[in-house]
Amino acid sequence: FPSHDKPRKALSIGIFYCNTNDQIEQYAESKIIKGRKIITAIPNTKLFFSSRQNLQERIAGKEIIETQREALHVPIFAMLVEDDQHYSTNINQLWPIIERCMDDCSYVLIILSGEHREMIDRETRRAIGYYDIENILFYVKNDKQTKEEWQSILQLATENGIKYIEYFDIRDFKHKFYARLMKVIKVLHDENNVQFLTGDL
């Protein structure tokens, strides 16, 4: 792949492989070229989604990620457990699948809206104990029912130094999630020494 260095261009070889989830990934190794260390790619990055499966915000979040992946050419993906090939509606079989999916993700997106759900509660508690604070994207619907039914989880998040973002409706969620996702993408560029072209936004 050609680099973006000017006026001189360097070429490297990209190796593609199929991972355990039947997804195509690129293996890119750092190269030493005339004393400079060139990072050729951002590694695949996945966000685990924890919310009700039929929630509008869940669908919108996935669409925003897919749009930005295509627009910015950043390998960032939404991980929805129902998309996993081993997905099961049997609760006893589902939790090990959820754990494996979470373990395969660098970030988690938590969306609490409406009535309390035991599985989302369990996912959220695991996420709070498993991910670094900066890797937890936490959104809470700003209405009376949500705050009452999820009071213990919100208190747990606060006790662990996690700041959740309140939103009023689907439009507000899209706006706030997009802004947070752009920060994640910027971090991925910085951590991998890849130039982030803000003009592409």
Side-chain angles (χ1 to χ4, degrees):
F1 301 98
S3 74
H4 297 291
D5 295 326
K6 293 180 180 180
R8 182 175 59 227
K9 291 186 177 181
L11 298 178
S12 61
I13 297 175
I15 301 174
F16 294 84
Y17 67 97
C18 185
N19 65 20
T20 57
N21 293 322
D22 293 326
Q23 296 171 325
I24 300 298
E25 295 190 355
Q26 175 184 341
Y27 172 77
E29 186 176 356
S30 301
K31 305 293 181 181
I32 302 297
I33 302 177
K34 295 187 176 181
R36 294 179 300 125
K37 189 174 184 179
I38 306 298
I39 305 297
T40 57
I42 293 173
N44 279 7
T45 303
K46 300 172 186 176
L47 285 81
F48 180 83
F49 278 43
S50 178
S51 73
R52 298 200 326 261
Q53 290 186 11
N54 61 351
L55 196 66
Q56 277 187 305
E57 291 88 324
R58 185 181 181 92
I59 299 170
K62 181 179 180 181
E63 291 175 348
I64 290 171
I65 288 174
E66 291 175 345
T67 298
Q68 295 312 310
R69 181 175 68 243
E70 295 300 321
L72 302 177
H73 307 290
V74 178
I76 189 165
F77 302 89
M79 171 68 81
L80 282 65
V81 69
E82 63 267 29
D83 292 340
D84 188 275
Q85 62 180 344
H86 302 294
Y87 176 72
S88 172
T89 56
N90 183 308
I91 297 299
N92 294 328
Q93 296 177 1
L94 181 58
W95 183 248
I97 297 171
I98 290 173
E99 287 185 308
R100 180 171 52 77
C101 288
M102 293 180 78
D103 292 347
D104 197 34
C105 293
S106 302
Y107 291 83
V108 61
L109 169 63
I110 300 169
I111 311 172
L112 303 183
S113 176
E115 66 180 286
H116 179 271
R117 298 286 180 86
E118 184 61 35
M119 189 58 71
I120 302 170
D121 185 299
R122 192 174 179 183
E123 289 175 350
T124 303
R125 290 179 186 276
R126 186 177 194 270
I128 290 174
Y130 183 78
Y131 294 95
D132 292 335
I133 292 177
E134 60 270 19
N135 291 22
I136 299 176
L137 287 62
F138 203 144
Y139 294 82
V140 179
K141 184 74 174 289
N142 189 355
D143 61 30
K144 183 178 179 180
Q145 180 188 15
T146 299
K147 290 184 176 180
E148 287 181 351
E149 299 213 13
W150 293 97
Q151 183 178 4
S152 63
I153 286 292
L154 298 181
Q155 181 178 347
L156 179 64
T158 300
E159 291 172 352
N160 282 271
I162 299 168
K163 296 181 179 180
Y164 54 85
I165 299 173
E166 297 183 7
Y167 68 94
F168 293 97
D169 53 28
I170 184 64
R171 182 177 179 181
D172 192 32
F173 170 80
K174 288 180 179 180
H175 172 73
K176 290 176 176 176
F177 177 66
Y178 170 81
R180 182 67 178 86
L181 182 65
M182 289 301 100
K183 292 181 180 179
V184 170
I185 291 176
K186 178 65 165 60
V187 167
L188 292 175
H189 281 77
D190 291 344
E191 289 181 345
N192 293 280
N193 296 324
V194 176
Q195 184 178 9
F196 185 49
L197 302 177
T198 55
D200 289 344
L201 297 179

